[in-house]
């Protein structure tokens, strides 16, 4: 009994560590698309449920899928900006059409994605993550002011609430360690909502109207539609997520002392692809590994997959309880905005962290970053720039993240891959040791 309670407590810790990151994505996307409180409650519920399903798919290990490591999956923040852009241009059905195709795409490429990773070195993935983080900041600031189009936008109450939430998160992060620091965003959302309640800025009607239990429903928001630019965008997001997940896999492999082979990585990628596919069918989101749970794993020292299985089952259970999901929907926009500044700022910080060493080591990499971030941000700010080009070209230019990603991939090929091929050809006649060195460098 004691062991069972201890295991449940450890599993619940993992739920708390990932919960804020998991619920913020549906809240941000749902608010941006103008969903009703009922639809928003469903979106949060199904997202939490599929976080649990995705986690269990990954901790399993069979011949087809599952990396067999104690990893927790949640919806990726790299997809937030693209989904809002796709929804604004084509409607919510196009988001799920693109997610469906990207899920199939990941499953198809899972067997050989390891060989494609060389096209996504840190200079590319860091640029993409930085672009995504930068393009999300306006969403955070709009919410901090009370929500775009709100009648009280920029009011003293909203500004105080938004910056108060951000200050609370900063203080918790500064003066706490370990688990408390890991849930600082969640604590900030709770504190901000409590403060807003005293200011009369919280309506509890969504909780009262939500049912105690519901069944999940495929294609809740209608049948998916398919648009090339949306599909390309989500496939790029999926590949960036796979690259990030690869780092988490190897980190967990070191922690659990498990040597990862190419077939293990393929099964891990395939499990993520299945999770993304399910997200498209049940109108949730793309899923990726959550690094914050890796930190919690190191902190607790408990590396058992059974604990993560408990976490997954808890998430699935929560997904069937709309009352609990509705609690998150009452969080005022200003409170969300304050937390978003921290969360999205961390996305930018992560991108800069990935870029710092590669920029320091290469002037060519500096040019790749400069052009890809410049193009990505420029197209986001001035989307009409390429409006007169043929539609076949606009597929790659209509979205800043796609334009920036394609620029980074192309320039990385020009600066870092073509010269390597040339050097390899020049060293074909070199002595055996030199040939081996050239192969290693290539």
């Amino acid at each position: 009994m004691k062991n069972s309670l201890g295991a449940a407590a450890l599993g619940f810790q993992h739920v708390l560590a990932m919960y804020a990151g998991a619920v913020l994505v549906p809240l941000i996307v749902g608010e941006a698309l103008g969903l009703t409180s009922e639809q928003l409650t469903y979106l949060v519920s199904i997202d939490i449920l599929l976080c649990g399903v995705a986690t269990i798919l990954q901790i399993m290990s069979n011949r087809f899928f599952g990396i067999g490591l104690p990893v927790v999956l949640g919806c990726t923040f790299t997809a937030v900006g693209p989904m809002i852009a796709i929804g604004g241009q084509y409607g919510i059905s196009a988001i799920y059409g693109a997610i469906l195709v990207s899920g199939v795409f990941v499953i198809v490429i899972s067997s050989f994605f390891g060989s494609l990773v060389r096209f996504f070195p840190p200079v590319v993935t860091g640029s993409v993550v930085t672009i995504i983080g930068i393009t999300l900041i306006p969403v955070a600031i709009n919410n901090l002011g009370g929500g775009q189009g709100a009648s009280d936008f920029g009011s003293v109450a909203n500004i105080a609430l938004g910056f108060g939430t951000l200050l609370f998160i900063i203080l918790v992060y500064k003066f706490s360690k370990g688990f408390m620091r890991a849930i600082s965003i969640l604590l900030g959302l709770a504190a901000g909502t409590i403060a807003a309640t005293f200011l009369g800025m919280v309506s509890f009607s969504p909780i009262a109207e939500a049912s105690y239990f519901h069944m999940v429903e495929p294609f809740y928001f209608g049948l998916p539609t398919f648009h090339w630019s949306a599909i390309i965008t989500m496939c790029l997001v999926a590949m960036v997520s796979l690259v990030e997940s690869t780092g988490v896999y190897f980190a967990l492999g070191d922690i659990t002392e498990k040597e990862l082979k190419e077939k293990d990585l393929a099964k891990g990628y395939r499990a993520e692809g299945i999770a993304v596919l399910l997200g498209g069918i049940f109108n949730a989101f793309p899923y990726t590994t959550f690094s914050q749970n890796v930190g919690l794993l190191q902190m607790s020292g408990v590396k058992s997959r059974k604990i993560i299985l408990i976490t997954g089952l808890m998430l699935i259970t929560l997904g069937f309880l709309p009352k609990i999901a509705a609690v998150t929907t009452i969080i005022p926009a200003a409170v969300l905005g304050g937390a978003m500044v921290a969360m999205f700022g961390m996305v930018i910080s992560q991108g800069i962290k990935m870029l710092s060493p590669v920029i320091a080591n290469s002037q060519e990499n500096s040019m790749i970053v400069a052009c890809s971030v410049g193009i990505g941000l420029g197209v986001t700010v001035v989307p009409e720039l390429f409006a007169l080009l043929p539609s076949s070209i606009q597929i790659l230019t209509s979205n800043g993240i796609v334009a920036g990603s394609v620029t980074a991939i192309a320039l990385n090929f020009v600066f870092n891959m073509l010269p390597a091929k040339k050097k390899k050809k020049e060293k074909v006649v070199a002595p055996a040791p030199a040939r081996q060195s050239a192969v290693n460098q290539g």
Side-chain angles (χ1 to χ4, degrees):
M1 180 68 178
K2 201 171 185 180
N3 288 339
S4 298
L5 288 174
L10 287 168
F12 189 60
Q13 273 193 331
H14 279 284
V15 171
L16 291 177
M18 60 83 67
Y19 197 78
V23 300
L24 270 178
V25 173
L27 290 176
I28 296 163
V29 175
E31 290 283 353
L33 298 178
L35 299 185
T36 65
S37 59
E38 181 184 352
Q39 291 173 323
L40 200 55
T41 297
Y42 176 84
L43 197 62
V44 173
S45 295
I46 193 64
D47 171 52
I48 292 299
L49 188 149
L50 283 180
C51 283
V53 172
T55 297
I56 291 174
L57 285 173
Q58 197 62 282
I59 63 173
M60 295 170 63
S61 183
N62 54 45
R63 292 178 62 186
F64 186 66
F65 64 84
I67 198 160
L69 292 170
V71 58
V72 176
L73 273 74
C75 37
T76 173
F77 268 95
T78 56
V80 172
M83 287 190 294
I84 292 173
I86 292 167
Q89 187 171 359
Y90 300 114
I92 194 169
S93 61
I95 296 175
Y96 294 113
I99 291 174
L100 272 171
V101 176
S102 68
V104 174
F105 174 74
V106 170
I107 293 170
V108 169
I109 69 169
S110 58
S111 297
F112 53 87
F113 184 76
S115 61
L116 294 178
V117 169
R118 65 196 184 101
F119 290 99
F120 295 88
V123 69
V124 172
T125 52
S127 297
V128 174
V129 171
T130 303
I131 293 166
I132 289 170
I134 290 171
T135 57
L136 285 172
I137 290 298
V139 178
I141 298 301
N142 274 321
N143 274 278
L144 192 147
Q148 194 167 18
S151 58
D152 61 344
F153 184 85
S155 67
V156 174
N158 282 328
I159 297 296
L161 202 54
F163 280 104
T165 300
L166 178 59
L167 178 61
F168 184 89
I169 292 169
I170 292 169
L171 291 174
V172 172
Y173 202 84
K174 167 67 178 174
F175 295 107
S176 65
K177 293 181 180 179
F179 179 64
M180 290 296 288
R181 176 176 278 196
I183 63 169
S184 58
I185 300 290
L186 185 63
L187 293 174
L189 289 170
T193 304
I194 292 169
T197 302
F198 286 109
L199 295 173
M201 298 173 65
V202 175
S203 169
F204 292 93
S205 58
I207 300 176
E209 293 167 3
S211 58
Y212 287 96
F213 178 85
H214 73 162
M215 289 300 296
V216 297
E217 184 181 334
F219 304 117
Y220 176 85
F221 292 105
L223 292 175
T225 56
F226 304 93
H227 300 270
W228 276 114
S229 60
I231 289 168
I232 291 172
T233 301
M234 294 311 297
C235 286
L236 282 169
V237 167
M239 286 192 286
V240 171
S241 294
L242 288 182
V243 173
E244 292 178 328
S245 292
T246 303
V248 174
Y249 295 156
F250 281 112
L252 282 169
D254 289 339
I255 293 169
T256 59
E257 300 178 350
K258 177 180 178 179
E259 183 182 352
L260 295 178
K261 299 178 181 177
E262 197 170 312
K263 65 178 183 179
D264 296 316
L265 292 175
K267 290 193 295 181
Y269 300 147
R270 208 169 286 129
E272 286 198 30
I274 295 169
V276 175
L277 184 62
L278 290 174
I281 293 171
F282 291 100
N283 292 170
F285 300 99
Y287 292 92
T288 189
T289 53
F290 263 26
S291 56
Q292 55 262 54
N293 291 89
V294 178
L296 183 56
L297 203 76
Q298 288 178 302
M299 185 189 72
S300 67
V302 180
K303 309 165 188 177
S304 170
R305 284 187 290 166
K306 290 181 181 178
I307 299 300
I308 306 302
L309 174 62
I310 292 170
T311 300
L313 293 173
M314 285 180 173
L315 291 169
I316 291 172
T317 303
L318 290 172
F320 284 111
L321 306 174
K323 283 281 186 192
I324 294 176
V327 171
T328 63
T329 68
I330 67 171
I331 301 172
V335 173
L336 280 176
M340 284 181 202
V341 170
M343 291 289 285
F344 298 160
M346 289 299 288
V347 173
I348 299 172
S349 176
Q350 178 64 22
I352 294 171
K353 182 180 177 182
M354 295 164 73
L355 291 173
S356 295
V358 295
I359 290 175
N361 292 335
S362 167
Q363 286 295 321
E364 288 86 355
N365 284 339
S366 296
M367 181 60 75
I368 294 170
V369 175
C371 292
S372 58
V373 174
I375 291 292
L377 185 58
V379 171
T380 301
V381 175
V382 189
E384 62 272 17
L385 177 64
F386 300 108
L388 299 180
L389 293 180
S391 57
S392 58
I393 297 177
Q394 286 189 47
I395 288 173
L396 300 177
T397 60
S398 60
N399 182 288
I401 293 168
V402 175
S405 301
V406 171
T407 302
I409 293 167
L411 291 181
N412 177 65
F413 184 79
V414 170
F415 283 118
N416 294 330
M417 300 184 77
L418 288 181
K421 288 188 175 182
K422 185 178 179 182
K423 286 177 184 176
K424 197 177 284 187
K425 287 180 181 177
E426 289 172 353
K427 295 195 176 187
V428 168
V429 294
R435 273 206 307 273
Q436 187 59 49
S437 175
V439 170
N440 291 338
Q441 288 174 14

